[in-house]
Amino acid sequence: MEVLEYDTTTILMPNITTAITTPMKHHHRENVQWLRCSVQNYDWGQKGRDSHVAKLFGLNSDSPIDPDKPYAELWMGTHESGSSFLVCNGEDRNGHLSFESECESLKSWISKNPNVLGEKVIQKWGADLPFLFKVLSVGKALSIQAHPDKELAKALHKLLPSLYKDDNHKPEMALAITQFEALCGFISIQELKSVLQNVPEIVEVVGISDVKRILEITEQDGQEKVKSALRSIFTKLMSASKDMITEVTSKMINRLHSESQVRQLTEKERLVLELEKQYPSDVGVITAYFFNYVKLNPGEALYLGANEPHAYLFGECIECMATSDNVVRAGLTPKHMDVNTLCSMLTYKQGFPEILQGIPLNPYVRKYLPPFDEFEVDSCNLPEQESTVFPAVPGPSILLVALGEGIMYSNSPRGDVIIEGDVLFIPANTELNIRSASRLQLYRAGVNSSFFHPSS
């Protein structure tokens, strides 16, 4: 039987999760707030218990998991499309504290207690969290998409508020939990030349003159000429008629099946066949050739600025972004596609994206620092009976217990049991000391450290 030190009391328990109904869990409320979080059941999510999102959501909300339903995203934050709520203390019939009742939304509570954000955060972003924290379980490809910069987001929100829900930009970062696959950013001009020479169906759609423009580009040509040629050919492909795309996709799939009998298909070709099964006759199947095919190992991260094309393909990840839900889609989706906006907004930057490995802060914690003020993510993997400290920082954080169980001490000497599925809001200037009872996997999202300590 495991013995846990808990303030001046010792708890004997075969399994720490039995402590959830004891009066000591969540006892102090002056600093850290426990959250009940929202789930999104988008069609591309992994189904039922296969989904890590489903498991975490079930534990967080005490909800049953529907085995036939896709569980795509767990949202932790203040965005109105998937608000988090504070968990209230109440008493059950035996006089024990019960934590199942929801209080007000985190957004509302922060607006009444803005000091929890810290002074600099309030000055820059007002009385709201500047980041949105998520867990994603991707069962099939998401749409080919990009997120608008602030200026475009404002214009789109004003023009089409039902489609573009807010006026903020949405830089984002995906940190792989499992092996994670994505399409991200345009391939180099050398790779694109090779694609155009080996995929005759693209030439059939866009025409020989655009293809020649690309093939004739030399190293002496400036970036603007390259971008202009890429924009032209990509826009032509994305704007092709549905009938044309159906016809050439069918030709391409038949050709690949036949060629697979005599040679090994490339990774990209195998991906194209898989995408066509998921989204038959979709322009995104052909467009996949234009993008880098990225495979992240667990613990590797990918970040995306505004106006960069991408599509997550498969796997599970932690995701963090600026607080926004703006998406401009143009392929691999049954949803509304805004091809003109997407093609005109993209940067057409080429080359393989930077992969972040995280900066080790101590033996157990790695920090992932994308080049965006709004957010950073810490990943903490704590072996059994080990301790670590999350130092006080000048901004707010959200902490997710992704696996295991332990005890957390914050600005008060009293400890709290934390278990898998717990999500906690940590106010600015709050130090956390955490001790594990089993292997403990935590993720913390907060405002980017460089925002508080810009390099001189």
Side-chain angles (χ1 to χ4, degrees), residues 5 74 138 296 317 410:
E5 298 278 316
L74 181 72
V138 181
L296 299 179
C317 75
S410 62

Side-chain angles (χ1 to χ4, degrees), residues 102-142:
E102 284 178 1
C103 276
E104 65 187 313
S105 72
L106 177 61
K107 187 181 180 83
S108 161
W109 181 77
I110 288 174
S111 71
K112 293 174 192 170
N113 301 277
N115 58 309
V116 299
L117 299 175
E119 207 174 307
K120 271 198 89 172
V121 171
I122 295 168
Q123 282 169 5
K124 172 90 187 251
W125 292 288
D128 195 9
L129 272 188
F131 59 85
L132 176 59
F133 198 23
K134 296 181 182 180
V135 184
L136 269 59
S137 291
V138 181
K140 66 176 189 176
L142 280 69

Side-chain angles (χ1 to χ4, degrees), residues 221-374:
D221 287 321
Q223 272 304 104
E224 280 316 304
K225 184 174 179 181
V226 174
K227 282 183 180 179
S228 167
L230 177 58
R231 181 187 290 112
S232 175
I233 197 168
F234 182 73
T235 304
K236 205 167 268 191
L237 178 60
M238 294 303 294
S239 311
S241 72
K242 181 74 182 159
D243 288 348
M244 166 73 94
I245 293 299
T246 302
E247 185 188 329
V248 296
T249 305
S250 173
K251 273 188 195 172
M252 180 175 69
I253 298 306
N254 290 336
R255 175 176 62 79
L256 290 176
H257 280 309
S258 131
E259 289 182 17
S260 71
Q261 306 302 310
V262 292
R263 69 173 175 88
Q264 175 113 25
L265 296 183
T266 66
E267 275 193 329
K268 183 67 77 68
E269 287 170 333
R270 292 198 296 275
L271 172 63
V272 162
L273 290 177
E274 178 56 36
L275 291 177
E276 199 275 335
K277 278 187 209 158
Q278 294 176 10
Y279 299 96
S281 305
D282 189 297
V283 65
V285 176
I286 305 179
T287 315
Y289 278 109
F290 281 67
F291 303 124
N292 298 294
Y293 184 15
V294 181
K295 291 183 175 181
L296 299 179
N297 294 312
E300 293 182 329
L302 175 72
Y303 65 84
L304 298 148
N307 304 326
E308 295 297 341
H310 60 282
Y312 295 154
L313 301 173
F314 186 78
E316 301 194 279
C317 75
I318 294 292
E319 192 181 37
C320 202
M321 62 199 60
T323 302
S324 171
D325 194 27
N326 282 327
V327 180
V328 182
R329 298 180 183 86
L332 302 182
T333 181
K335 292 183 183 176
H336 173 80
M337 293 200 283
D338 194 344
V339 172
N340 291 341
T341 301
L342 185 98
C343 292
S344 62
M345 72 192 269
L346 297 180
T347 63
Y348 294 96
K349 196 168 76 183
Q350 292 177 284
F352 203 77
E354 182 185 3
I355 306 300
L356 300 180
Q357 304 291 340
I359 303 154
L361 302 185
N362 60 46
Y364 310 123
V365 181
R366 298 185 87 80
K367 184 177 289 296
Y368 296 81
L369 280 166
F372 315 120
D373 282 350
E374 285 88 348

